[in-house]
């Protein structure tokens, strides 16, 4: 047994013991049951919620005289008012029924009658504990209490103001569907089910966040997604201990294999068709209520170069554009470093005519090429960030005008050369050619150490830095799947949809993740949970 395997087994056993101890020590206490006294329950609800004005409490007499009181509680703004009125009207339509309060079984019969009517209206069930009732109430459901009965009826009337379905903002395409996810979890699930009318599309939901109780959904195709993968994703989601989940990025950071890496090991998208395509390949989707960005697991680096439009247009053009993306990614990564290395350490590699022009441009520039590139790159990043944060109506115009004016003024002032402006502009344009925005953001960070290596050691420094980057990327895993697959480990048959795209007839009907990487470790890659020690 090698020392590395022994270390992983030891780490796995240690994590198992710590997880078991954590679960035991943090096991939730059993919630207290609801009290039968209606006035006491309503008063406690108001006190618990700080007597908030958006807590609506309505009481009704049920049945013929003498009446039994019934209370309806819901949160204004989280519910659909039309559904609320319809739910109340059709559920409490019991005027013709007599319930004598003196009868010991009257309240139970009234409760059962309301349950029967509520079930005919919509999705409703009983809730008997205090914490469960509060959770349902704060989720936008309506809660009905019967005076003297220690249980409540919760009905799903969620609604309120929500953003409608619009076109994708970050993944724009010319041909293909124009809808995208929004902040409603129910809407996002329906957009996926509309495209996959299969009984094998399974959905699991859970609440994450001790304070926020954010609803998180796990979707996968039963029989296509590996059971070990689904169990690993479910386990990592259940292991999250945090106060609140605001966006899917919080979940991504907490479940990814490695945190100390600039490369994203979890893919996110706002397009339903992209999620459907990944589900058909055996991947798992994680949807978070309140955000349009859906996580796709596991992830390989080739996913960031694929656009949804590649599968909706002719193969020849799709292959050409995919090569353009890979070439743009290469330019984004090494172009400034190559320029710095050539002009600083390897002038003999430059053609004579071009070398004379570059020397003429640099005659009045007081800074070396590295400082010159650093100034321009940081300036470009500032303009990019300013254009993103400024109001949409003027942000794009200001960023474009600012780039032109500042570039021209810097050249005329002798701070930078015209060639450096061209290099930085080309690098900035190349950063927008990759469909995966998160990968482009990562490379924007990585190129600065590459520039330092080029300024220090020339091409030798660039080559050494590239070797380190490739070694780091090939060592990454995403839920047990090699991040650099199918390039490493190399699988020729799976290059039909990696570096290029083959025709739909030549590609397999279903490309499962388990078939793609036969040597993939079970369930997590490294000792059980997939995370690096």
């Amino acid at each position: 047994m090698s020392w590395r395997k022994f270390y992983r087994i030891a780490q796995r056993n240690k994590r198992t013991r710590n997880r078991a101890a954590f679960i035991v020590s943090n096991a939730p206490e059993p919630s207290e049951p609801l009290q039968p006294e209606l006035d006491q329950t309503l008063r406690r609800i108001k006190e618990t919620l700080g007597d908030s004005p958006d807590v609506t409490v309505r009481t009704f007499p049920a049945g013929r005289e003498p009446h039994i009181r019934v209370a309806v509680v819901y949160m204004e703004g989280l519910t659909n008012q039309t559904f609320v009125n319809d739910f109340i009207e059709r559920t409490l339509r019991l005027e013709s029924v007599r319930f004598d309060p003196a009868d010991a079984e009257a309240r139970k019969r009234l409760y059962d009658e309301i349950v029967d009517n509520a079930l005919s209206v919509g999705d409703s069930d009983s809730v008997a504990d205090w914490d469960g009732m509060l959770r349902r109430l704060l989720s936008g459901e309506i809660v009905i209490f019967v005076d003297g009965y220690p249980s409540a009826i919760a009905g799903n009337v969620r609604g309120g103001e929500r953003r409608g379905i619009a076109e994708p903002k970050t993944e724009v395409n010319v041909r293909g569907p124009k809808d995208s996810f929004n902040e409603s979890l129910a809407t996002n699930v329906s957009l996926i089910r509309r495209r996959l009318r299969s009984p094998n599309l399974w959905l699991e939901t859970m609440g994450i966040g001790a304070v926020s109780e954010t609803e998180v959904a796990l979707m996968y195709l039963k029989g296509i997604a590996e059971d070990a993968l689904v169990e690993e994703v479910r386990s990592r989601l259940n292991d999250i201990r945090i106060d609140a989940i605001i966006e899917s990025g919080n979940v991504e950071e907490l479940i990814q294999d490695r945190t100390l890496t600039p490369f994203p090991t979890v893919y996110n998208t706002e397009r339903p068709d992209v999620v459907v395509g990944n589900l058909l390949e055996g991947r798992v989707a994680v949807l978070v209520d309140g955000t349009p960005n859906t996580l796709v697991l596991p992830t390989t680096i080739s996913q960031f170069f694929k656009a949804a439009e590649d599968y909706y247009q002719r193969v020849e053009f799709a292959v050409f554009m995919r090569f353009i993306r890979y070439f743009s990614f290469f330019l984004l990564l090494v172009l400034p470093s190559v320029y710095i290395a050539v002009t600083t350490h390897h002038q003999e590699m430059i053609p004579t005519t071009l070398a004379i022009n570059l020397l003429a441009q640099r005659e009045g520039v007081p800074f070396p090429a590295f400082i010159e590139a650093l100034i321009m790159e940081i300036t470009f990043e500032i303009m990019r960030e300013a254009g993103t944060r400024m109001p949409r109506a003027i942000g794009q115009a200001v960023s474009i005008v600012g780039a032109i004016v500042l570039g021209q003024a810097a050249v005329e002032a002798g701070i930078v050369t015209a060639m450096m402006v061209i290099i930085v502009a080309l690098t900035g344009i190349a950063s927008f050619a990759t469909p995966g925005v998160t990968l482009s953001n990562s490379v924007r960070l990585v190129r600065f150490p590459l520039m330092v290596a080029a300024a220090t050691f020339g091409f030798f420094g660039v080559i050494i830095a590239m070797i380190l980057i490739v070694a780091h990327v090939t060592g990454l895993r995403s839920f047990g799947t090699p991040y650099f697959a199918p390039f490493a480990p190399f699988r020729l048959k799976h290059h039909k949809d990696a570096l290029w795209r083959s025709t739909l007839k030549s590609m397999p009907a279903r490309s499962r993740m388990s078939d793609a990487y036969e040597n993939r470790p079970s369930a997590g890659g490294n000792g059980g949970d997939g995370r690096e020690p």
Side-chain angles (χ1 to χ4, degrees):
M1 181 184 296
S2 64
W3 69 269
R4 184 173 179 83
K5 186 175 182 180
F6 177 81
Y7 180 77
R8 288 178 177 176
I9 294 176
Q11 289 295 318
R12 176 184 60 187
N13 296 334
K14 180 180 178 181
R15 281 191 294 266
T16 303
R17 292 192 300 268
N18 293 341
R19 182 181 301 176
F22 181 86
I23 293 175
V24 171
S25 62
N26 292 273
E29 299 180 359
S31 177
E32 60 178 299
L34 291 174
Q35 299 300 319
E37 292 79 8
L38 181 61
D39 292 333
Q40 179 182 352
T41 301
L42 297 180
R43 182 168 57 253
R44 185 179 177 185
I45 290 176
K46 292 182 179 180
E47 291 176 355
T48 303
L49 300 179
D51 201 14
S52 301
D54 59 341
V55 181
T56 303
V57 179
R58 298 166 63 178
T59 57
F60 303 89
R64 295 182 300 174
E65 294 186 359
H67 303 298
I68 298 177
R69 287 195 306 154
V70 176
V72 175
V73 184
Y74 60 92
M75 302 292 293
E76 185 179 355
L78 297 181
T79 57
N80 188 310
Q81 195 63 40
T82 302
F83 292 167
V84 169
N85 295 333
D86 184 65
F87 191 91
I88 294 174
E89 179 183 357
R90 296 180 60 183
T91 302
L92 302 181
R93 191 180 296 170
L94 306 169
E95 292 83 0
S96 61
V97 184
R98 179 182 177 83
F99 298 99
D100 187 1
D103 186 359
E105 297 295 326
R107 289 172 172 80
K108 184 178 186 307
R109 292 200 305 272
L110 174 59
Y111 183 85
D112 294 338
E113 187 74 21
I114 294 176
V115 169
D116 294 338
N117 286 1
L119 289 175
S120 65
V121 176
D123 182 17
S124 60
D125 59 354
S126 299
V127 55
D129 61 293
W130 175 259
D131 292 340
M133 181 273 298
L134 279 181
R135 190 179 303 110
R136 303 286 287 273
L137 179 64
L138 294 173
S139 297
E141 299 190 18
I142 188 172
V143 183
I144 300 177
F145 299 92
V146 175
D147 189 17
Y149 195 77
S151 188
I153 304 161
N156 188 357
V157 291
R158 300 179 186 180
E161 295 296 329
R162 297 183 182 271
R163 183 172 65 93
I165 299 175
E167 291 191 26
K169 300 297 182 183
T170 58
E171 300 175 73
V172 182
N173 65 334
V174 178
R175 182 175 181 177
K178 302 297 182 183
D179 55 346
S180 66
F181 293 129
N182 61 11
E183 287 74 21
S184 171
L185 180 60
T187 302
N188 298 342
V189 171
S190 66
L191 289 174
I192 297 176
R193 288 198 179 275
R194 189 177 301 170
R195 291 170 167 84
L196 284 178
R197 299 179 178 90
S198 171
N200 294 326
L201 180 60
W202 286 18
L203 172 68
E204 301 177 15
T205 59
M206 61 191 74
I208 298 180
V211 178
S212 65
E213 282 287 341
T214 305
E215 191 173 6
V216 178
L218 179 69
M219 293 192 77
Y220 58 94
L221 279 170
K222 183 66 175 179
I224 298 180
E226 292 181 71
D227 294 337
L229 172 63
V230 176
E231 178 59 32
E232 179 65 22
V233 176
R234 185 189 299 117
S235 174
R236 294 195 191 184
L237 290 175
N238 289 328
D239 287 346
I240 293 178
R241 298 293 183 271
I242 195 172
D243 287 340
I245 295 294
I246 308 301
E247 211 269 342
S248 60
N250 303 140
V251 177
E252 175 183 345
E253 182 177 348
L254 293 169
I255 67 174
Q256 63 185 352
D257 290 60
R258 291 182 61 175
T259 304
L260 297 177
T261 176
F263 295 95
T265 56
V266 177
Y267 186 78
N268 72 84
T269 179
E270 61 177 352
R271 296 186 60 92
D273 53 338
V274 173
V275 174
V276 168
N278 283 279
L279 290 176
L280 290 171
E281 293 181 353
R283 292 185 172 89
V284 177
V286 177
L287 299 87
V288 180
D289 190 26
T291 175
N293 295 305
T294 298
L295 306 180
V296 177
L297 309 166
T299 302
T300 59
I301 196 170
S302 62
Q303 284 182 259
F304 296 94
F305 297 95
K306 301 175 185 178
E309 198 173 10
D310 292 348
Y311 306 93
Y312 308 143
Q313 55 190 356
R314 294 191 60 82
V315 176
E316 296 82 3
F317 184 75
V319 171
F320 172 72
M321 293 310 301
R322 192 168 289 185
F323 274 105
I324 290 294
R325 296 180 197 128
Y326 278 100
F327 180 69
S328 300
F329 177 80
F330 184 75
L331 290 182
L332 173 62
L333 182 63
V334 303
L335 184 59
S337 305
V338 169
Y339 178 77
I340 293 173
V342 169
T343 56
T344 305
H345 299 279
H346 309 285
Q347 296 90 346
E348 67 278 1
M349 298 180 62
I350 308 175
T352 305
T353 306
L354 179 60
I356 293 174
N357 292 334
L358 292 178
L359 290 175
Q361 294 178 19
R362 295 196 54 81
E363 186 177 355
V365 176
F367 305 110
F370 170 69
I371 301 298
E372 186 183 357
L374 196 62
I375 292 174
M376 290 302 299
E377 290 287 356
I378 293 177
T379 303
F380 188 86
E381 293 296 333
I382 293 174
M383 289 189 294
R384 186 204 295 259
E385 184 68 13
T388 303
R389 306 302 169 197
M390 293 181 69
R392 190 177 301 273
I394 61 176
Q396 185 176 4
V398 169
S399 60
I400 294 175
V401 173
I404 296 175
V405 172
L406 285 178
Q408 184 66 27
V411 172
E412 293 181 356
I415 299 176
V416 297
T417 62
M419 180 58 72
M420 181 58 71
V421 174
I422 295 174
I423 295 294
V424 173
L426 186 58
T427 304
I429 294 173
S431 66
F432 296 104
T434 306
V437 179
T438 52
L439 183 63
S440 297
N441 294 339
S442 301
V443 178
R444 286 163 55 189
L445 296 176
V446 172
R447 61 181 173 173
F448 286 101
L450 272 173
M451 291 164 55
V452 175
T456 307
F457 303 105
F459 270 130
F460 300 103
V462 174
I463 293 173
I464 292 173
M466 290 296 297
I467 292 174
L468 295 176
I469 291 173
V470 173
H472 173 72
V473 173
T474 53
L476 293 177
R477 289 183 177 271
S478 177
F479 286 79
T481 300
Y483 185 63
F484 210 52
F487 307 106
F490 185 79
R491 294 289 184 270
L492 180 61
K493 63 179 180 179
H494 298 292
H495 277 268
K496 293 183 178 181
D497 192 25
L499 196 60
W500 66 84
R501 182 180 87 80
S502 301
T503 61
L504 295 179
K505 291 183 179 181
S506 63
M507 284 195 294
R510 183 180 298 133
S511 177
R512 293 184 53 175
M513 299 299 295
S514 58
D515 299 333
Y517 316 112
E518 292 86 348
N519 61 344
R520 176 173 142 181
S522 61
N526 274 346
D529 71 349
R531 306 183 191 185
E532 291 292 331

Short mmCIF file of all heavy atoms in Angstrom, two decimals, residues 65-91:
data_model
loop_
_atom_site.label_atom_id
_atom_site.label_comp_id
_atom_site.label_asym_id
_atom_site.label_seq_id
_atom_site.Cartn_x
_atom_site.Cartn_y
_atom_site.Cartn_z
N GLU A 65 -74.77 27.61 14.55
CA GLU A 65 -74.63 27.92 15.97
C GLU A 65 -74.95 26.70 16.83
O GLU A 65 -75.87 25.94 16.48
CB GLU A 65 -75.53 29.09 16.34
CG GLU A 65 -75.14 30.40 15.68
CD GLU A 65 -75.99 31.55 16.19
OE1 GLU A 65 -76.88 31.30 17.03
OE2 GLU A 65 -75.75 32.68 15.76
N PRO A 66 -74.24 26.55 17.92
CA PRO A 66 -73.08 27.33 18.38
C PRO A 66 -71.84 27.00 17.57
O PRO A 66 -71.63 25.86 17.19
CB PRO A 66 -72.92 26.90 19.83
CG PRO A 66 -73.47 25.51 19.88
CD PRO A 66 -74.60 25.48 18.88
N HIS A 67 -71.03 28.04 17.30
CA HIS A 67 -69.89 27.90 16.39
C HIS A 67 -68.65 27.38 17.10
O HIS A 67 -68.50 27.50 18.31
CB HIS A 67 -69.56 29.25 15.74
CG HIS A 67 -70.71 29.86 15.00
ND1 HIS A 67 -71.29 29.26 13.91
CD2 HIS A 67 -71.39 31.02 15.21
CE1 HIS A 67 -72.26 30.03 13.45
NE2 HIS A 67 -72.35 31.09 14.24
N ILE A 68 -67.77 26.83 16.28
CA ILE A 68 -66.39 26.52 16.70
C ILE A 68 -65.47 27.44 15.90
O ILE A 68 -65.56 27.52 14.68
CB ILE A 68 -66.04 25.05 16.44
CG1 ILE A 68 -66.93 24.12 17.25
CG2 ILE A 68 -64.57 24.78 16.77
CD1 ILE A 68 -66.68 22.65 16.98
N ARG A 69 -64.60 28.13 16.60
CA ARG A 69 -63.75 29.11 15.92
C ARG A 69 -62.64 28.44 15.11
O ARG A 69 -62.04 27.47 15.56
CB ARG A 69 -63.15 30.08 16.92
CG ARG A 69 -64.13 31.08 17.50
CD ARG A 69 -63.39 32.21 18.18
NE ARG A 69 -62.45 31.70 19.18
CZ ARG A 69 -61.35 32.35 19.56
NH1 ARG A 69 -61.04 33.51 19.01
NH2 ARG A 69 -60.57 31.83 20.49
N VAL A 70 -62.38 29.01 13.94
CA VAL A 70 -61.31 28.57 13.06
C VAL A 70 -60.49 29.79 12.68
O VAL A 70 -61.06 30.85 12.38
CB VAL A 70 -61.87 27.88 11.80
CG1 VAL A 70 -60.73 27.52 10.84
CG2 VAL A 70 -62.65 26.63 12.16
N ALA A 71 -59.17 29.67 12.72
CA ALA A 71 -58.27 30.78 12.38
C ALA A 71 -57.43 30.42 11.17
O ALA A 71 -56.99 29.27 11.02
CB ALA A 71 -57.38 31.13 13.56
N VAL A 72 -57.21 31.41 10.33
CA VAL A 72 -56.37 31.27 9.14
C VAL A 72 -55.21 32.27 9.26
O VAL A 72 -55.44 33.46 9.50
CB VAL A 72 -57.18 31.54 7.85
CG1 VAL A 72 -56.26 31.50 6.64
CG2 VAL A 72 -58.29 30.52 7.71
N VAL A 73 -53.98 31.77 9.11
CA VAL A 73 -52.79 32.62 9.24
C VAL A 73 -51.95 32.46 7.98
O VAL A 73 -51.72 31.33 7.51
CB VAL A 73 -51.96 32.22 10.48
CG1 VAL A 73 -50.78 33.17 10.66
CG2 VAL A 73 -52.82 32.20 11.73
N TYR A 74 -51.48 33.58 7.43
CA TYR A 74 -50.58 33.55 6.28
C TYR A 74 -49.76 34.83 6.25
O TYR A 74 -50.10 35.83 6.91
CB TYR A 74 -51.36 33.36 4.97
CG TYR A 74 -52.37 34.45 4.66
CD1 TYR A 74 -52.02 35.56 3.89
CD2 TYR A 74 -53.68 34.36 5.13
CE1 TYR A 74 -52.94 36.56 3.60
CE2 TYR A 74 -54.60 35.34 4.85
CZ TYR A 74 -54.23 36.43 4.09
OH TYR A 74 -55.15 37.42 3.81
N MET A 75 -48.67 34.79 5.46
CA MET A 75 -47.77 35.93 5.33
C MET A 75 -48.14 36.71 4.08
O MET A 75 -48.07 36.18 2.96
CB MET A 75 -46.31 35.46 5.24
CG MET A 75 -45.84 34.64 6.43
SD MET A 75 -45.71 35.60 7.94
CE MET A 75 -44.38 36.71 7.52
N GLU A 76 -48.51 37.94 4.25
CA GLU A 76 -48.85 38.78 3.11
C GLU A 76 -47.60 39.09 2.29
O GLU A 76 -46.55 39.43 2.82
CB GLU A 76 -49.48 40.09 3.60
CG GLU A 76 -49.98 40.98 2.49
CD GLU A 76 -50.62 42.25 3.02
OE1 GLU A 76 -50.75 42.37 4.25
OE2 GLU A 76 -50.98 43.12 2.21
N GLY A 77 -47.69 38.94 0.99
CA GLY A 77 -46.56 39.16 0.09
C GLY A 77 -45.89 37.87 -0.33
O GLY A 77 -45.24 37.84 -1.38
N LEU A 78 -46.01 36.81 0.48
CA LEU A 78 -45.45 35.51 0.11
C LEU A 78 -46.50 34.59 -0.49
O LEU A 78 -46.17 33.51 -0.97
CB LEU A 78 -44.82 34.83 1.32
CG LEU A 78 -43.63 35.52 1.97
CD1 LEU A 78 -43.12 34.71 3.15
CD2 LEU A 78 -42.51 35.74 0.96
N THR A 79 -47.76 34.99 -0.45
CA THR A 79 -48.85 34.16 -0.93
C THR A 79 -49.57 34.83 -2.08
O THR A 79 -49.54 36.06 -2.23
CB THR A 79 -49.85 33.86 0.20
OG1 THR A 79 -50.34 35.12 0.71
CG2 THR A 79 -49.22 33.08 1.31
N ASN A 80 -50.24 34.02 -2.87
CA ASN A 80 -51.08 34.52 -3.94
C ASN A 80 -52.46 34.82 -3.35
O ASN A 80 -53.17 33.92 -2.91
CB ASN A 80 -51.18 33.47 -5.06
CG ASN A 80 -51.89 33.99 -6.28
OD1 ASN A 80 -52.97 34.56 -6.20
ND2 ASN A 80 -51.29 33.79 -7.44
N GLN A 81 -52.85 36.09 -3.36
CA GLN A 81 -54.07 36.50 -2.69
C GLN A 81 -55.30 35.83 -3.29
O GLN A 81 -56.24 35.48 -2.57
CB GLN A 81 -54.23 38.03 -2.74
CG GLN A 81 -55.27 38.58 -1.78
CD GLN A 81 -54.90 38.32 -0.34
OE1 GLN A 81 -53.73 38.43 0.06
NE2 GLN A 81 -55.88 37.94 0.47
N THR A 82 -55.30 35.61 -4.58
CA THR A 82 -56.43 34.94 -5.23
C THR A 82 -56.54 33.50 -4.73
O THR A 82 -57.64 33.02 -4.42
CB THR A 82 -56.26 34.97 -6.75
OG1 THR A 82 -56.15 36.32 -7.19
CG2 THR A 82 -57.46 34.32 -7.43
N PHE A 83 -55.40 32.83 -4.66
CA PHE A 83 -55.40 31.45 -4.15
C PHE A 83 -55.83 31.41 -2.69
O PHE A 83 -56.53 30.49 -2.26
CB PHE A 83 -54.02 30.83 -4.30
CG PHE A 83 -53.61 30.58 -5.72
CD1 PHE A 83 -52.30 30.26 -6.04
CD2 PHE A 83 -54.54 30.67 -6.75
CE1 PHE A 83 -51.91 30.02 -7.35
CE2 PHE A 83 -54.17 30.44 -8.07
CZ PHE A 83 -52.86 30.12 -8.37
N VAL A 84 -55.41 32.41 -1.91
CA VAL A 84 -55.78 32.45 -0.50
C VAL A 84 -57.28 32.56 -0.33
O VAL A 84 -57.91 31.81 0.43
CB VAL A 84 -55.06 33.62 0.21
CG1 VAL A 84 -55.63 33.85 1.60
CG2 VAL A 84 -53.58 33.36 0.31
N ASN A 85 -57.88 33.49 -1.05
CA ASN A 85 -59.33 33.69 -0.95
C ASN A 85 -60.10 32.45 -1.40
O ASN A 85 -61.08 32.04 -0.77
CB ASN A 85 -59.76 34.90 -1.78
CG ASN A 85 -59.17 36.19 -1.24
OD1 ASN A 85 -58.87 36.30 -0.04
ND2 ASN A 85 -58.98 37.17 -2.10
N ASP A 86 -59.64 31.84 -2.49
CA ASP A 86 -60.30 30.64 -2.99
C ASP A 86 -60.13 29.49 -2.00
O ASP A 86 -61.06 28.70 -1.77
CB ASP A 86 -59.73 30.27 -4.35
CG ASP A 86 -60.44 29.08 -4.97
OD1 ASP A 86 -61.64 29.20 -5.28
OD2 ASP A 86 -59.80 28.02 -5.13
N PHE A 87 -58.94 29.38 -1.42
CA PHE A 87 -58.67 28.31 -0.46
C PHE A 87 -59.56 28.46 0.76
O PHE A 87 -60.17 27.49 1.24
CB PHE A 87 -57.19 28.36 -0.06
CG PHE A 87 -56.73 27.16 0.72
CD1 PHE A 87 -56.21 26.07 0.07
CD2 PHE A 87 -56.81 27.14 2.10
CE1 PHE A 87 -55.78 24.96 0.77
CE2 PHE A 87 -56.38 26.04 2.81
CZ PHE A 87 -55.86 24.95 2.15
N ILE A 88 -59.66 29.69 1.27
CA ILE A 88 -60.47 29.92 2.47
C ILE A 88 -61.95 29.70 2.17
O ILE A 88 -62.67 29.02 2.92
CB ILE A 88 -60.23 31.35 3.00
CG1 ILE A 88 -58.79 31.49 3.50
CG2 ILE A 88 -61.22 31.67 4.11
CD1 ILE A 88 -58.43 32.89 3.91
N GLU A 89 -62.41 30.24 1.06
CA GLU A 89 -63.83 30.17 0.75
C GLU A 89 -64.29 28.72 0.55
O GLU A 89 -65.31 28.29 1.08
CB GLU A 89 -64.14 30.98 -0.51
CG GLU A 89 -65.60 30.93 -0.92
CD GLU A 89 -65.85 31.69 -2.22
OE1 GLU A 89 -64.89 32.29 -2.74
OE2 GLU A 89 -66.98 31.66 -2.70
N ARG A 90 -63.51 27.93 -0.19
CA ARG A 90 -63.92 26.57 -0.49
C ARG A 90 -63.62 25.60 0.65
O ARG A 90 -64.29 24.58 0.79
CB ARG A 90 -63.23 26.10 -1.76
CG ARG A 90 -63.63 26.90 -3.00
CD ARG A 90 -62.94 26.40 -4.23
NE ARG A 90 -63.26 25.00 -4.50
CZ ARG A 90 -62.73 24.31 -5.51
NH1 ARG A 90 -61.87 24.89 -6.32
NH2 ARG A 90 -63.05 23.04 -5.68
N THR A 91 -62.64 25.93 1.47
CA THR A 91 -62.29 25.04 2.57
C THR A 91 -63.25 25.20 3.74
O THR A 91 -63.63 24.23 4.40
CB THR A 91 -60.85 25.31 3.04
OG1 THR A 91 -59.97 25.13 1.95
CG2 THR A 91 -60.45 24.38 4.16
#
